[in-house]
Structures are given as C-alpha cells and as structure tokens.
Amino acid sequence: MSNLILWSDDPVQAFKKFVVTDAFAKTGRRLPADGIPRTVSTESAKTYNFMFGNVVAWIAEQDKTLLTVTQTDLARFVNRTDNGRRVLNSKIAYRYLRLLERCYEHLGVTPNPAKQAIVATEDTKKLKDDAGRTLSADQLQRFFDALPADPPRSRRLTPFDGWKRRRDRAMQVVIALAGLRVSEAIGLLLSEVGHQVALDGSIALTITPDEKHDTSYEHTTTLPREGVDELRPWLQERKTMAIPDDFVFPANVKGRKMIKKTVYMQIRSTFERAGMDLSRAGGRTLRNTFAQRQLNNGTSPDELKDILGLALERSAADYKFAQIKEDPEQ
C-alpha cells in the first residue's frame, strides 16, 4: 500500500527509483540472449524519466493522478494535436503507452489502462512497427549508381569545377554507409574523422554533439572502405581548395555550414535519378537501410544503439521493422 501511495503522491520520484532497478528491467519484452534482464543505462534512464515526467505533468493538468487516469485519458494524451497535426508520431505514442504499461504491471494495477489503450488504439500494428522505409540491396546499389558527378579523381576543365557535386556525392555516401543523421553529416568536423585506417580499409567517425542537433549523443561509427574511397579524395580536394573552418562538407568556399534543406533536396534528386519512389526519399531512409543491414548481419540492438548514438535499445530494435517500398511502375 505504501508503494501505491508514493506512486500517487509523488509519481516522478517513485519512477526515478523504479527505472534503475531489476524490477523495471524484468518488465521489458526483449531479453538478452542469456535471458538475464539488465538494468538500463544512465542515458536510457534519462530518456525514460523525461517521458514519464511529461505524461505525468499532462495527467495532473487533467486533475487526475497516475492511479485514477483511464485508458480513454491515455488515448487522448497520445492523440493530442496542435494546429491539426499530431504532437506525437505513432512510434513515440506507442513508446509512451508501453512505458506506462510497464509501470502499471509493476504496481499490479488491473485492468492495466495503458495496455487497454494500446489494444483499443486504431491501427495498433502501425503504432508498434512503423519504423519507416528501407531500401533493398538492389535499390541501394541503384542509389549509389545515381549519385551526383564523378569522384574528385575525374578530369575537369578547371581545378575545382563542380566541387559542390563531389561534396554532395561524398556526403551522401557517408550518410548511407555510416548511418549518419543529416544533422550529423552537415555538422561533421574534420577532427571527428579518424586518421588510422583499419586492416579492412575502414576508418572511425567519432560523432560529437558539437555543431549537431542539441540532442545528439557522442558515438563512434565505422565508415567502410567503399566510403573511405569516396571521402578521402574529397578531403584532399577540400584541403587543396584551402576551405577554412572545420566542416567536412562546407556550404561554400568560406567554410560555412550547410543547411538541412539543401541536403534533403540533393538526396531526393539522387532518388529521383535512380527511379525510386519519392514519397519517403531522404536521409532517414538511408539511415534506416544502414541500421536494418546491421541488424540482419548480426549486430545486436544494444550494439546498434551505440553505433547510431541512440538513447534506447528499443529505438535500435525498431529498425528491424523498416519496410522496403516497391518502385513506382513505369
């Protein structure tokens, strides 16, 4: 009873104590290969605490508590809109409900209002599995074949003629083969590119929050030989051009930072040249493809979480559900 009173009177504090325990780990649906639940990392706990605090604040605004809220209330929370658009996308909505389901399961609350909300929500399968679009091996190869320009080693009329096309080419290859977000690619710094080449020809990219999105986590990903073969000539050309500042892919000869819109348009153009559907053609599709290929090749969700710089292992596991979209009929 005292436990229920704490969760009712100070749910945020109760959750902070709960989320770092074995009891929370045991409410997870995915167990490690050895079957032993493991407590969440500090970063994961931070994310869970943020989410829980967010939903509890909304519940309080409804003059209710965690123990008096209903499945209808929780459905209203995840389906909130702002100017006609949903505040939470379907994947995030499911994660909120799943987090609350784990709390109610721990407390022995029956019926479990969060579980009821998940079951009652329309298109529940989409809530769980909507991890986006990925490319087949053939589509990915066609994307590479449609990249802009030729590598820097090709002949040119003037020393740096077409340098932006070669920059765009190298950037898109790095996004696709290292699994970078667009914000990470445009904010990639020369100091984050490894100088030591591995035996297989790969190099490490150490991604830091500097010049990236403010929620980026520091992480290290590997750029394979194919990517290095595209990046190295571009870096040499950039050096020869004496472009200032530290951005690997600068917007202009003054070394300014690129904007996301420019990168999105360039990637979309590559998809268009490759003859692929443009409804979801962007950097996220390339990242989805990288992540799913990693999982299919035996990388665990926990390892992929670190490679991609994600806060939650579940976020990495969701890439398994990304779906290939067929090309439009000609």
Side-chain angles (χ1 to χ4, degrees), residues 42-110:
T42 301
E43 289 298 333
S44 294
K46 186 184 301 183
T47 301
Y48 283 133
N49 281 321
F50 170 80
M51 292 174 64
F52 187 81
N54 194 25
V55 67
V56 165
W58 182 87
I59 290 173
E61 291 173 0
Q62 316 308 306
D63 292 325
K64 294 194 174 185
T65 70
L66 187 68
L67 299 180
T68 61
V69 74
T70 67
Q71 73 172 74
T72 302
D73 296 322
L74 297 181
R76 284 196 299 115
F77 170 76
V78 298
N79 290 314
R80 289 169 297 143
T81 60
D82 183 13
N83 292 325
R85 300 186 63 180
R86 287 187 60 172
V87 175
L88 303 175
N89 67 39
S90 57
K91 277 181 61 181
I92 301 301
Y94 175 78
R95 289 175 188 168
Y96 268 104
L97 292 177
R98 175 66 187 125
L99 180 62
L100 291 172
E101 182 186 13
R102 296 174 73 172
C103 294
Y104 290 125
E105 178 185 327
H106 169 67
L107 293 172
V109 174
T110 55

Side-chain angles (χ1 to χ4, degrees), residues 96-281:
Y96 268 104
L97 292 177
R98 175 66 187 125
L99 180 62
L100 291 172
E101 182 186 13
R102 296 174 73 172
C103 294
Y104 290 125
E105 178 185 327
H106 169 67
L107 293 172
V109 174
T110 55
N112 187 317
K115 184 174 184 178
Q116 289 180 313
I118 292 173
V119 173
T121 300
E122 292 183 0
D123 200 5
T124 302
K125 185 176 186 301
K126 181 180 178 183
L127 282 178
K128 292 188 288 186
D129 296 344
D130 183 18
R133 175 191 179 186
T134 186
L135 302 179
S136 67
D138 174 68
Q139 289 174 331
L140 182 61
Q141 184 57 55
R142 283 164 44 212
F143 176 86
F144 288 141
D145 292 341
L147 287 167
D150 291 323
R153 54 185 175 274
S154 65
R155 293 182 180 180
R156 298 185 294 278
L157 298 176
T158 58
F160 306 117
D161 183 41
W163 72 270
K164 286 188 177 181
R165 292 194 299 275
R166 292 185 293 279
R167 172 205 64 192
D168 295 340
R169 178 187 180 93
M171 174 185 278
Q172 291 179 41
V173 169
V174 169
I175 290 174
L177 294 182
L180 300 190
R181 296 183 177 94
V182 168
S183 61
E184 292 172 344
I186 64 177
L188 185 64
L189 305 176
L190 294 173
S191 56
E192 296 173 343
V193 178
H195 298 291
Q196 185 69 38
V197 180
L199 292 177
D200 61 1
S202 65
I203 61 173
L205 302 179
T206 302
I207 311 301
T208 70
D210 297 340
E211 299 293 347
K212 318 295 190 300
H213 194 278
D214 58 8
T215 59
S216 295
Y217 295 95
E218 181 170 339
H219 63 283
T220 299
T221 185
T222 299
L223 182 66
R225 180 192 297 274
E226 299 86 346
V228 175
D229 289 344
E230 294 285 350
L231 180 60
R232 279 289 176 82
W234 159 245
L235 290 177
Q236 183 57 50
E237 181 173 8
R238 184 195 184 288
K239 182 178 180 180
T240 305
M241 292 176 67
I243 297 178
D245 218 326
D246 198 26
F247 292 117
V248 171
F249 305 111
N252 51 39
V253 294
K254 295 182 180 180
R256 301 286 173 78
K257 185 178 182 180
M258 294 183 72
I259 60 175
K260 287 185 179 181
K261 183 178 180 180
T262 299
V263 180
Y264 290 141
M265 291 175 61
Q266 295 297 342
I267 294 177
R268 185 180 178 86
S269 294
T270 303
F271 273 99
E272 186 172 15
R273 288 192 298 271
M276 285 186 272
D277 180 81
L278 299 179
S279 61
R280 302 182 77 175

